[in-house]
mmCIF file of all heavy atoms in Angstrom:
data_model
loop_
_atom_site.group_PDB
_atom_site.id
_atom_site.type_symbol
_atom_site.label_atom_id
_atom_site.label_comp_id
_atom_site.label_asym_id
_atom_site.label_seq_id
_atom_site.Cartn_x
_atom_site.Cartn_y
_atom_site.Cartn_z
ATOM 1 N N SER K 32 76.405 -25.130 68.175
ATOM 2 C CA SER K 32 75.839 -26.386 68.643
ATOM 3 C C SER K 32 76.849 -27.165 69.470
ATOM 4 O O SER K 32 76.508 -27.754 70.495
ATOM 5 C CB SER K 32 75.388 -27.216 67.450
ATOM 6 O OG SER K 32 74.944 -28.476 67.879
ATOM 7 N N ALA K 33 78.103 -27.176 69.055
ATOM 8 C CA ALA K 33 79.146 -27.867 69.810
ATOM 9 C C ALA K 33 79.365 -27.217 71.163
ATOM 10 O O ALA K 33 79.530 -27.903 72.181
ATOM 11 C CB ALA K 33 80.447 -27.877 69.011
ATOM 12 N N ILE K 34 79.348 -25.900 71.213
ATOM 13 C CA ILE K 34 79.551 -25.193 72.486
ATOM 14 C C ILE K 34 78.383 -25.457 73.428
ATOM 15 O O ILE K 34 78.580 -25.776 74.602
ATOM 16 C CB ILE K 34 79.738 -23.682 72.234
ATOM 17 C CG1 ILE K 34 81.076 -23.436 71.539
ATOM 18 C CG2 ILE K 34 79.661 -22.904 73.538
ATOM 19 C CD1 ILE K 34 81.260 -22.017 71.069
ATOM 20 N N LEU K 35 77.161 -25.345 72.932
ATOM 21 C CA LEU K 35 75.995 -25.579 73.785
ATOM 22 C C LEU K 35 75.893 -27.045 74.194
ATOM 23 O O LEU K 35 75.465 -27.358 75.303
ATOM 24 C CB LEU K 35 74.723 -25.131 73.079
ATOM 25 C CG LEU K 35 74.594 -23.619 72.873
ATOM 26 C CD1 LEU K 35 73.339 -23.305 72.081
ATOM 27 C CD2 LEU K 35 74.573 -22.904 74.198
ATOM 28 N N GLY K 36 76.275 -27.949 73.323
ATOM 29 C CA GLY K 36 76.245 -29.368 73.648
ATOM 30 C C GLY K 36 77.239 -29.721 74.739
ATOM 31 O O GLY K 36 76.949 -30.513 75.638
ATOM 32 N N SER K 37 78.426 -29.138 74.702
ATOM 33 C CA SER K 37 79.416 -29.429 75.731
ATOM 34 C C SER K 37 79.027 -28.781 77.060
ATOM 35 O O SER K 37 79.356 -29.299 78.118
ATOM 36 C CB SER K 37 80.798 -28.950 75.304
ATOM 37 O OG SER K 37 80.829 -27.544 75.242
ATOM 38 N N ALA K 38 78.301 -27.692 77.017
ATOM 39 C CA ALA K 38 77.873 -27.038 78.254
ATOM 40 C C ALA K 38 76.827 -27.862 78.983
ATOM 41 O O ALA K 38 76.786 -27.887 80.207
ATOM 42 C CB ALA K 38 77.326 -25.643 77.957
ATOM 43 N N THR K 39 75.980 -28.577 78.255
ATOM 44 C CA THR K 39 74.946 -29.377 78.899
ATOM 45 C C THR K 39 75.480 -30.710 79.396
ATOM 46 O O THR K 39 74.854 -31.339 80.237
ATOM 47 C CB THR K 39 73.760 -29.628 77.958
ATOM 48 O OG1 THR K 39 74.239 -30.285 76.783
ATOM 49 C CG2 THR K 39 73.062 -28.337 77.584
ATOM 50 N N ARG K 40 76.620 -31.175 78.904
ATOM 51 C CA ARG K 40 77.190 -32.441 79.345
ATOM 52 C C ARG K 40 78.042 -32.288 80.595
ATOM 53 O O ARG K 40 78.438 -33.267 81.199
ATOM 54 C CB ARG K 40 78.043 -33.046 78.238
ATOM 55 C CG ARG K 40 77.214 -33.688 77.144
ATOM 56 C CD ARG K 40 78.116 -34.412 76.180
ATOM 57 N NE ARG K 40 79.026 -33.491 75.528
ATOM 58 C CZ ARG K 40 79.014 -33.200 74.246
ATOM 59 N NH1 ARG K 40 78.145 -33.775 73.467
ATOM 60 N NH2 ARG K 40 79.868 -32.367 73.736
ATOM 61 N N GLU K 41 78.356 -31.067 81.007
ATOM 62 C CA GLU K 41 79.197 -30.860 82.180
ATOM 63 C C GLU K 41 78.450 -31.235 83.446
ATOM 64 O O GLU K 41 77.241 -31.073 83.557
ATOM 65 C CB GLU K 41 79.642 -29.401 82.265
ATOM 66 C CG GLU K 41 80.613 -29.007 81.176
ATOM 67 C CD GLU K 41 81.049 -27.564 81.305
ATOM 68 O OE1 GLU K 41 80.638 -26.906 82.271
ATOM 69 O OE2 GLU K 41 81.786 -27.115 80.426
ATOM 70 N N GLN K 42 79.193 -31.716 84.425
ATOM 71 C CA GLN K 42 78.625 -32.027 85.719
ATOM 72 C C GLN K 42 78.314 -30.717 86.448
ATOM 73 O O GLN K 42 79.077 -29.758 86.356
ATOM 74 C CB GLN K 42 79.616 -32.853 86.561
ATOM 75 C CG GLN K 42 79.871 -34.225 85.989
ATOM 76 C CD GLN K 42 78.644 -35.101 86.099
ATOM 77 O OE1 GLN K 42 77.863 -34.961 87.016
ATOM 78 N NE2 GLN K 42 78.481 -35.994 85.143
ATOM 79 N N PRO K 43 77.218 -30.669 87.172
ATOM 80 C CA PRO K 43 76.909 -29.439 87.904
ATOM 81 C C PRO K 43 77.933 -29.202 89.005
ATOM 82 O O PRO K 43 78.449 -30.144 89.622
ATOM 83 C CB PRO K 43 75.524 -29.706 88.487
ATOM 84 C CG PRO K 43 75.361 -31.184 88.455
ATOM 85 C CD PRO K 43 76.207 -31.697 87.347
ATOM 86 N N ILE K 44 78.216 -27.950 89.239
ATOM 87 C CA ILE K 44 79.185 -27.572 90.260
ATOM 88 C C ILE K 44 78.501 -27.641 91.617
ATOM 89 O O ILE K 44 77.414 -27.107 91.814
ATOM 90 C CB ILE K 44 79.714 -26.144 90.004
ATOM 91 C CG1 ILE K 44 80.417 -26.109 88.644
ATOM 92 C CG2 ILE K 44 80.640 -25.708 91.107
ATOM 93 C CD1 ILE K 44 80.803 -24.721 88.217
ATOM 94 N N ALA K 45 79.153 -28.303 92.570
ATOM 95 C CA ALA K 45 78.599 -28.411 93.916
ATOM 96 C C ALA K 45 78.918 -27.115 94.667
ATOM 97 O O ALA K 45 80.060 -26.854 95.012
ATOM 98 C CB ALA K 45 79.193 -29.606 94.636
ATOM 99 N N THR K 46 77.928 -26.307 94.870
ATOM 100 C CA THR K 46 78.122 -25.053 95.586
ATOM 101 C C THR K 46 77.762 -25.245 97.050
ATOM 102 O O THR K 46 77.080 -26.194 97.434
ATOM 103 C CB THR K 46 77.235 -23.941 94.991
ATOM 104 O OG1 THR K 46 75.873 -24.373 95.060
ATOM 105 C CG2 THR K 46 77.603 -23.670 93.550
ATOM 106 N N ALA K 47 78.217 -24.341 97.860
ATOM 107 C CA ALA K 47 77.941 -24.425 99.292
ATOM 108 C C ALA K 47 76.448 -24.264 99.532
ATOM 109 O O ALA K 47 75.808 -23.356 99.012
ATOM 110 C CB ALA K 47 78.709 -23.337 100.034
ATOM 111 N N GLY K 48 75.873 -25.171 100.295
ATOM 112 C CA GLY K 48 74.465 -25.099 100.624
ATOM 113 C C GLY K 48 73.549 -25.773 99.632
ATOM 114 O O GLY K 48 72.345 -25.797 99.820
ATOM 115 N N SER K 49 74.098 -26.342 98.560
ATOM 116 C CA SER K 49 73.242 -27.014 97.583
ATOM 117 C C SER K 49 73.048 -28.467 97.984
ATOM 118 O O SER K 49 73.838 -29.033 98.725
ATOM 119 C CB SER K 49 73.852 -26.934 96.187
ATOM 120 O OG SER K 49 75.054 -27.679 96.154
ATOM 121 N N ALA K 50 71.978 -29.055 97.505
ATOM 122 C CA ALA K 50 71.676 -30.445 97.820
ATOM 123 C C ALA K 50 72.650 -31.359 97.093
ATOM 124 O O ALA K 50 72.944 -31.153 95.920
ATOM 125 C CB ALA K 50 70.255 -30.776 97.419
ATOM 126 N N GLN K 51 73.147 -32.358 97.785
ATOM 127 C CA GLN K 51 74.048 -33.332 97.187
ATOM 128 C C GLN K 51 73.286 -34.632 97.004
ATOM 129 O O GLN K 51 72.529 -35.050 97.878
ATOM 130 C CB GLN K 51 75.267 -33.531 98.062
ATOM 131 C CG GLN K 51 76.077 -32.248 98.198
ATOM 132 C CD GLN K 51 77.237 -32.405 99.161
ATOM 133 O OE1 GLN K 51 77.375 -33.439 99.787
ATOM 134 N NE2 GLN K 51 78.053 -31.375 99.257
ATOM 135 N N ALA K 52 73.506 -35.270 95.885
ATOM 136 C CA ALA K 52 72.710 -36.442 95.515
ATOM 137 C C ALA K 52 72.838 -37.568 96.529
ATOM 138 O O ALA K 52 71.846 -38.208 96.883
ATOM 139 C CB ALA K 52 73.119 -36.924 94.135
ATOM 140 N N ASN K 53 74.037 -37.829 97.038
ATOM 141 C CA ASN K 53 74.190 -38.942 97.972
ATOM 142 C C ASN K 53 73.497 -38.658 99.302
ATOM 143 O O ASN K 53 72.945 -39.560 99.925
ATOM 144 C CB ASN K 53 75.664 -39.268 98.191
ATOM 145 C CG ASN K 53 76.450 -38.082 98.706
ATOM 146 O OD1 ASN K 53 75.946 -36.965 98.746
ATOM 147 N ND2 ASN K 53 77.689 -38.323 99.069
ATOM 148 N N VAL K 54 73.485 -37.419 99.745
ATOM 149 C CA VAL K 54 72.811 -37.072 100.994
ATOM 150 C C VAL K 54 71.303 -37.180 100.819
ATOM 151 O O VAL K 54 70.606 -37.715 101.686
ATOM 152 C CB VAL K 54 73.206 -35.648 101.445
ATOM 153 C CG1 VAL K 54 72.434 -35.229 102.671
ATOM 154 C CG2 VAL K 54 74.702 -35.578 101.701
ATOM 155 N N VAL K 55 70.795 -36.713 99.705
ATOM 156 C CA VAL K 55 69.358 -36.783 99.452
ATOM 157 C C VAL K 55 68.910 -38.237 99.357
ATOM 158 O O VAL K 55 67.849 -38.608 99.867
ATOM 159 C CB VAL K 55 68.998 -36.002 98.168
ATOM 160 C CG1 VAL K 55 67.553 -36.214 97.783
ATOM 161 C CG2 VAL K 55 69.280 -34.526 98.361
ATOM 162 N N ALA K 56 69.729 -39.095 98.754
ATOM 163 C CA ALA K 56 69.380 -40.515 98.651
ATOM 164 C C ALA K 56 69.322 -41.146 100.039
ATOM 165 O O ALA K 56 68.437 -41.960 100.330
ATOM 166 C CB ALA K 56 70.381 -41.242 97.766
ATOM 167 N N ASN K 57 70.251 -40.782 100.922
ATOM 168 C CA ASN K 57 70.237 -41.325 102.282
ATOM 169 C C ASN K 57 69.025 -40.839 103.066
ATOM 170 O O ASN K 57 68.446 -41.586 103.840
ATOM 171 C CB ASN K 57 71.522 -40.953 103.018
ATOM 172 C CG ASN K 57 72.717 -41.715 102.497
ATOM 173 O OD1 ASN K 57 72.559 -42.763 101.881
ATOM 174 N ND2 ASN K 57 73.894 -41.184 102.720
ATOM 175 N N ILE K 58 68.639 -39.609 102.854
ATOM 176 C CA ILE K 58 67.460 -39.081 103.538
ATOM 177 C C ILE K 58 66.215 -39.825 103.063
ATOM 178 O O ILE K 58 65.346 -40.177 103.857
ATOM 179 C CB ILE K 58 67.318 -37.565 103.292
ATOM 180 C CG1 ILE K 58 68.431 -36.824 104.015
ATOM 181 C CG2 ILE K 58 65.964 -37.057 103.755
ATOM 182 C CD1 ILE K 58 68.487 -35.346 103.691
#
Side-chain angles (χ1 to χ4, degrees):
S32 175
I34 291 171
L35 292 176
S37 67
T39 58
R40 283 187 298 246
E41 291 181 3
Q42 294 291 329
I44 299 172
T46 58
S49 66
Q51 297 175 355
N53 58 351
V54 175
V55 172
N57 288 339
I58 291 172

